[in-house]
Amino acid sequence: MAETTTHDAHVSSTGLSNVKLGMWLFLGSECLLFGGLISTYMLYRGRVSDGPTPEQIYDIPFTSVSSFVLLMSSLTMVLAVSAAQKKDDRGVNLWLTTTALLGATFVGGQVYEFTAFYNEGLGFSTSLFGSSFYTLTGFHGVHVTVGIIMLLALVAINKRSSVPGSKSETVEMIGLYWHFVDIVWIIIFTLVYLIPV
Amino acid sequence: MAIIERPTPVLDIPALPAAPPAITPSRTFGALKRPVASTGWKSWLFTVDHKKIGLMYGATALFFFIVGGLEAVLIRLQLAAPEGKVLNADLYNQMFTMHATTMVFLFVMPMAAGFANYFIPLQIGARDVAFPRINAFGFWCFLGGGIVINLAWFLGGAADGGWFMYAPNSGPVFSPSNGIDFWALGLQIAGIASLTGAINLIVTVLNMRAPGMSLMKMPVFTWLVTVVQFLLLFAIPVITVALFLLTFQRSFGAQFFDVAAGADPLLWQHLFWIFGHPEVYVLILPSFGIVSEVLPVFSRKPLFGYPFVVFSGAAIGFVGWGVWAHHMFASGLGPVSVAVFSVATMAIAVPTGVKIINWTLTMWGGKLVFSTAMKFAVGLILLFTIGGLSGVTHSVAPSDTQQTDTYYIVAHFHYVLFGGSVFGLFAGFYYWWPKMFGKLLNERLGSLNFWFMVIGMNLTFGPMHILGLQGQPRRMYQWTEARAGEGFFNIAFWNLVASIGSLVLTLGILFFLINIVVTARSKVRAPLDPWNARSLEWMTSNPPKEHNFDSIPKVEHLDEFFHRKYEEDPVTHTMRGVATAEQVLAELERNADPHIHMPSPSYWPLVLAVGLPVIALGVIYSTMVAIVGGFIVLYAIYGWALEPATAVASDFDTPSTNGHAVSTTHG
Ligand code: HEM
Ligand SMILES: [Cu+2]
């Protein structure tokens, strides 16, 4: 049956599907969002007023472990995508759930870290360092959280098995987002935690 | 109407019955039934049709133009005479801040977005944009943002820090009302419209062109608007960061702009202008695009140097990122930065100059038809050139340090914004009105509209050059007789002239509004191809059907429509008509696609967009409200995710029209 659809691209001029192209563009835009936040942090990280300095509160081993957990989640995400391409529904659900759990561990670590820093005297309003640290890492944490919600929602929807559109593409799309958020964390981890002021 | 089923072939025009299938929506998901109405107010509220969304953008932007214009008139009334009493200092600050915010973010940008929405799919031969629901969501965000920004007028006073809202002046100490909170959150919401719109239109243009339409066969309007979407894609996140920092500072006690805590006031300036300079191209390029469509049509010649216009537009898209600090020459950047940005700014005049030359050469030797659209286009060339030249004078940093923060700057940017952006949009109104509404705007009133606007605009903004060079600062709520000076250049006289000019300008705009009413009441239908136009959007009925084209045209030429109507005579090398517009259209109708699936209306874009202003109010007044807003957002996203883009057949009572079975669609 000859069909002309406007919403999904069976034929597209670039060969990329609309959703995929759209996601790439969105991530390009996100680069500048994080670029702005990271610049703000870099400008202000040395301005601590009376509060603690970065060296005094950062717990590098702890954050390294949680960063490692997040990295691993990218691996499981890859497995989810490949399971989706093989139409292996059980595999998809398994790896999506694992990815979400790893992501949740990371966010848990961040909550723990924030609490610890707060108890050591670094509030949101304590210093420019405090404001910009919490804003930057908080924004990243929110991105991870949104990713987790998308992952779990996808699992839930998979179980009802009524995902609109192609399932493997949806998994791939969330995968792209997830990897992006991961890469951003690697940059943040390097710039924020590893490079001394 | 989601699915259009039609017998093939269809020979008579108009082929499609406008009546929707009998509708009682069943359910898709959640509490809300899927809307499927295609007439009445619901067909607007829940529409995902790019044309309806384009019109809603336009109508809302026009409303805000009137608001911003009245604010401007109040400013000029205040400054007409010494020691003006119309506004007090506080109100004056709010007035110029809101005037600029309204004009820039709530009029020019969304009006251009409206044209882009309406005409890009038509110009590239597509049936809708890539993400119709996101498109609708964008419009509601723009409206919600505009409402939030303006709500402040009624809740303790509007924003008062100037449209670029420099820190630390924007802090709670200097601006204790909630105005700036509303401003920051409202712009944030409106920014979502720009960002989603950018993604949507770029994907549409890259992926959904009609067969044969290569990038270098795209109409110039589509090209330049695409450049704009790239600028928005990368500029919006930067202002997003800046606005977040501001909101966190004002609402949650962050310190970003607190100079006492060691903050750097230049942070805001950099973030703002990294967004702000690309933004000026966002404001002007759509109008350049419109003019590049209008001039060839009314010169009866192809656009001179199409590739140059396209590439200079793209060049602006790149170089535009490297000059932002010319807005900060007076802020102590240091000599090296100032020199670099100064030279870069002079360089960026070049691609703009290229366009002006191309337009002039397009008209050269053409059979000029001075319709109102053409008048506005020519007006743009002249007025924008004046503004461009004064712009070059402030690319020279030492000269700019004399001019900055004076009325000379105000004169400059109104020549480019009013004489450029706004004139271009008006050219678009007159040119495309018959396409959008099937009726021609009245040319007599159009002429009055044009002449009052040109004269008014020059009377208003021309004298501001003098005022500025005489030292009158911008954003001053009063001037005094004692300091008015004497002789020809006394500012008392020129302030009065400028204020009278603003009333002439207002009359001009009034003629336009009258024209809308007169045209709406008129019964005369526009001919199919009133201007003898060249591009694809004219290769369909006026106004276009819901699915735009009965069959998607195969494109072989730049100016495809023109080439279907005319052919070159091999002997005389002149163009001779081979088909009328009606014949071209009938040809398309004959080959109509049998099955056309259009995306179905949806509640979710609206529901999602309603959640955002609720969150904004919550941030300002109470966390509980913000949480409620958050739940609305989550609920909407959930419903949205589960809803197929095209309503399934079970949403319709009678799953068929014309006796054909309707296939269940695939998402
Ligand atoms: C209706 C005709 C208009 C008149 C009479 C008018 C008049 C004015 C005046 C007198 C000011 C200076 C206020 C001051 O510095 O104290 C001003 C500022 C401004 N106008 Fe307009 N204007 C008009 C249209 C526009 C349009 C169409 C735009 C943009 C698209 C625009 C953008 C701005 C901007 C950005 C400022 C700077 C405000 C600030 O200093 O923060 N204006 N306008
Ligand atoms: Cu600039």
Side-chain angles (χ1 to χ4, degrees):
Chain A
M1 181 195 245
E3 286 180 351
T4 319
T5 51
T6 55
H7 42 280
D8 27 41
H10 295 297
V11 250
S12 77
S13 315
T14 57
L16 280 176
S17 78
N18 286 350
V19 212
K20 204 178 276 179
L21 189 57
M23 181 55 97
W24 277 110
L25 291 169
F26 172 68
L27 295 181
S29 171
E30 289 273 285
C31 286
L32 274 106
L33 183 91
F34 280 107
L37 291 168
I38 291 174
S39 309
T40 305
Y41 174 81
M42 295 307 273
L43 177 70
Y44 283 158
R45 62 183 181 157
R47 307 190 189 182
V48 293
S49 300
D50 307 324
T53 66
E55 287 82 5
Q56 285 167 350
I57 54 168
Y58 283 167
D59 181 353
I60 306 283
F62 176 84
T63 316
S64 306
V65 171
S66 69
S67 306
F68 181 75
V69 171
L70 192 63
L71 268 184
M72 284 304 105
S73 77
S74 258
L75 187 68
T76 54
M77 190 71 227
V78 172
L79 293 174
V81 173
S82 94
Q85 275 156 358
K86 289 190 219 121
K87 308 230 180 318
D88 165 12
D89 270 3
R90 279 200 39 225
V92 172
N93 284 347
L94 172 70
W95 291 121
L96 287 182
T97 315
T98 319
T99 311
L101 284 179
L102 290 174
T105 314
F106 172 83
V107 174
Q110 196 168 41
V111 171
Y112 169 80
E113 188 186 44
F114 280 13
T115 324
F117 288 1
Y118 185 78
N119 292 335
E120 285 170 56
L122 185 72
F124 189 53
S125 320
T126 307
S127 61
L128 283 161
F129 163 61
S131 297
S132 49
F133 171 81
Y134 285 118
T135 303
L136 171 59
T137 50
F139 257 88
H140 182 266
V142 168
H143 275 77
V144 179
T145 311
V146 169
I148 296 173
I149 295 175
M150 291 200 292
L151 290 167
L152 293 179
L154 192 55
V155 173
I157 297 170
N158 271 354
K159 294 226 159 107
R160 293 168 41 127
S161 164
S162 61
V163 198
S166 108
K167 197 188 292 178
S168 95
E169 179 157 69
T170 313
V171 178
E172 212 184 320
M173 221 51 39
I174 297 179
L176 266 182
Y177 173 87
W178 192 262
H179 296 315
F180 171 81
V181 172
D182 250 17
I183 293 170
V184 170
W185 179 254
I186 295 175
I187 296 168
I188 293 179
F189 183 59
T190 316
L191 289 178
V192 173
Y193 292 85
L194 297 185
I195 295 180
V197 177
Chain B
M1 186 174 1
I3 298 162
I4 298 157
E5 290 285 335
R6 45 184 314 165
T8 35
V10 183
L11 291 166
D12 54 330
I13 327 171
L16 272 177
I23 304 158
T24 329
S26 63
R27 38 155 270 141
T28 45
F29 177 79
L32 297 176
K33 285 177 182 174
R34 184 152 201 169
V36 279
S38 58
T39 51
W41 59 272
K42 280 189 188 163
S43 74
W44 290 90
L45 221 47
F46 308 126
T47 187
V48 296
D49 177 345
H50 73 100
K51 296 182 289 302
K52 283 189 173 153
I53 294 172
L55 293 181
M56 291 197 293
Y57 262 113
T60 315
L62 190 61
F63 170 76
F64 281 123
F65 181 45
I66 296 169
V67 172
L70 291 177
E71 285 160 357
V73 168
L74 284 176
I75 293 176
R76 276 323 313 173
L77 287 180
Q78 165 77 5
L79 295 180
E83 276 140 85
K85 296 273 178 313
V86 180
L87 304 167
N88 62 29
D90 183 26
L91 259 180
Y92 187 85
N93 290 348
Q94 298 175 35
M95 213 52 83
F96 70 72
T97 305
M98 292 299 286
H99 158 66
T101 304
T102 306
M103 286 297 190
V104 169
F105 296 102
L106 307 179
F107 165 53
V108 175
M109 279 175 80
M111 189 58 90
F115 278 130
N117 249 300
Y118 200 103
F119 288 105
I120 284 187
L122 287 167
Q123 286 202 325
I124 63 171
R127 292 217 161 99
D128 207 312
V129 291
F131 306 110
R133 282 179 298 177
I134 294 182
N135 202 19
F137 171 59
F139 167 73
W140 296 112
C141 281
F142 150 57
L143 181 59
I147 292 175
V148 169
I149 297 172
N150 279 288
L151 260 187
W153 283 116
F154 312 103
L155 296 170
D160 56 3
W163 85 284
F164 42 68
M165 210 52 77
Y166 275 178
N169 189 39
S170 57
V173 181
F174 303 102
S175 184
S177 82
N178 279 326
I180 293 181
D181 300 317
F182 280 98
W183 182 86
L185 290 160
L187 283 185
Q188 198 78 277
I189 297 174
I192 298 175
S194 296
L195 184 67
T196 52
I199 295 176
N200 209 342
L201 289 175
I202 295 174
V203 174
T204 306
V205 167
L206 291 186
N207 261 358
M208 296 169 63
R209 276 166 288 135
M213 179 173 279
S214 62
L215 288 178
M216 293 310 279
K217 290 194 185 114
M218 271 184 352
V220 181
F221 175 73
T222 295
W223 246 112
L224 295 187
V225 170
T226 307
V227 172
V228 166
Q229 305 313 313
F230 274 102
L231 289 168
L232 285 171
L233 184 72
F234 297 121
I236 292 290
V238 182
I239 190 76
T240 301
V241 170
L243 293 171
F244 267 125
L245 300 186
L246 180 59
T247 299
F248 289 173
Q249 155 121 1
R250 291 185 55 100
S251 298
F252 306 130
Q255 303 206 323
F256 298 109
F257 308 115
D258 185 351
V259 179
D264 187 342
L266 285 193
L267 173 66
W268 172 272
Q269 294 196 20
H270 279 296
L271 289 174
F272 187 88
W273 289 115
I274 290 175
F275 153 80
H277 190 80
E279 169 73 11
V280 306
Y281 295 109
V282 169
L283 298 173
I284 196 64
L285 285 180
S287 290
F288 280 5
I290 294 174
V291 169
S292 308
E293 301 286 337
V294 168
L295 285 170
V297 167
F298 294 103
S299 306
R300 303 280 176 256
K301 277 176 69 194
L303 182 66
F304 182 88
Y306 167 87
F308 287 98
V309 177
V310 166
F311 283 125
S312 65
I316 284 177
F318 287 105
V319 193
W321 291 98
V323 296
W324 79 88
H326 61 208
H327 297 272
M328 301 163 62
F329 282 153
S331 65
L333 288 173
V336 180
S337 306
V338 167
V340 169
F341 280 101
S342 175
V343 173
T345 303
M346 293 174 202
I348 205 166
V350 175
T352 310
V354 168
K355 289 209 181 60
I356 294 187
I357 292 170
N358 278 292
W359 292 330
T360 315
L361 291 178
T362 303
M363 289 192 290
W364 192 274
K367 296 192 203 67
L368 305 189
V369 181
F370 279 101
S371 67
T372 308
M374 182 66 165
K375 286 182 193 145
F376 274 107
V378 176
L380 177 144
I381 301 181
L382 296 173
L383 296 173
F384 184 85
T385 305
I386 299 177
L389 290 176
S390 60
V392 175
T393 69
H394 23 264
S395 74
V396 184
S399 132
D400 183 60
T401 17
Q402 297 300 311
Q403 297 156 1
T404 195
D405 274 332
T406 71
Y407 260 84
Y408 188 84
I409 298 287
V410 180
H412 155 71
F413 64 64
H414 282 93
Y415 267 86
V416 289
L417 285 174
F418 204 101
S421 307
V422 177
F423 269 56
L425 295 173
F426 271 77
F429 293 147
Y430 281 89
Y431 178 58
W432 277 323
W433 206 268
K435 173 80 340 197
M436 297 185 289
F437 302 105
K439 291 181 193 170
L440 287 159
L441 281 171
N442 181 308
E443 286 284 314
R444 283 262 298 288
L445 281 168
S447 205
L448 287 172
N449 175 193
F450 171 75
W451 286 111
F452 273 80
M453 263 173 75
V454 187
I455 295 170
M457 126 107 222
N458 282 294
L459 278 180
T460 311
F461 303 118
M464 290 186 189
H465 291 105
I466 300 173
L467 294 174
L469 292 178
Q470 289 296 83
Q472 181 170 331
R474 76 194 266 199
R475 300 177 174 176
M476 282 287 275
Y477 91 111
Q478 279 182 335
W479 52 274
T480 53
E481 190 75 68
R483 301 179 65 184
E486 282 165 9
F488 185 67
F489 292 120
N490 79 79
I491 67 166
F493 174 67
W494 292 111
N495 267 309
L496 186 60
V497 173
S499 295
I500 294 172
S502 72
L503 298 178
V504 178
L505 196 48
T506 311
L507 268 180
I509 293 162
L510 206 61
F511 281 122
F512 176 63
L513 299 178
I514 295 173
N515 204 347
I516 296 182
V517 177
V518 169
T519 307
R521 291 200 175 161
S522 145
K523 297 240 161 9
V524 191
R525 306 289 307 174
L528 184 61
D529 181 19
W531 315 122
N532 198 358
R534 314 175 68 87
S535 39
L536 276 194
E537 79 267 29
W538 293 98
M539 219 157 82
T540 169
S541 52
N542 293 341
K545 296 167 187 160
E546 194 195 347
H547 54 285
N548 292 354
F549 300 97
D550 283 329
S551 66
I552 300 291
K554 304 245 178 323
V555 177
E556 281 162 19
H557 303 274
L558 173 66
D559 292 341
E560 176 70 19
F561 185 39
F562 177 80
H563 286 275
R564 291 195 183 197
K565 293 184 291 182
Y566 295 92
E567 253 169 28
E568 194 177 302
D569 187 307
V571 186
T572 60
H573 292 286
T574 49
M575 303 303 281
R576 62 186 163 87
V578 289
T580 63
E582 284 76 11
Q583 287 166 332
V584 175
L585 196 65
E587 170 72 25
L588 282 180
E589 297 256 345
R590 259 194 301 283
N591 303 317
D593 294 330
H595 300 283
I596 301 170
H597 288 208
M598 297 304 291
S600 308
S602 171
Y603 292 114
W604 302 115
L606 180 56
V607 178
L608 182 53
V610 164
L612 298 173
V614 177
I615 296 183
L617 289 176
V619 168
I620 296 170
Y621 292 113
S622 123
T623 323
M624 271 320 289
V625 179
I627 292 174
V628 172
F631 273 112
I632 299 179
V633 166
L634 277 181
Y635 175 62
I637 292 179
Y638 193 44
W640 185 322
L642 289 177
E643 180 189 74
T646 306
V648 292
S650 63
D651 275 346
F652 297 87
D653 249 4
T654 328
S656 76
T657 50
N658 299 348
H660 281 237
V662 177
S663 67
T664 314
T665 49
H666 38 69

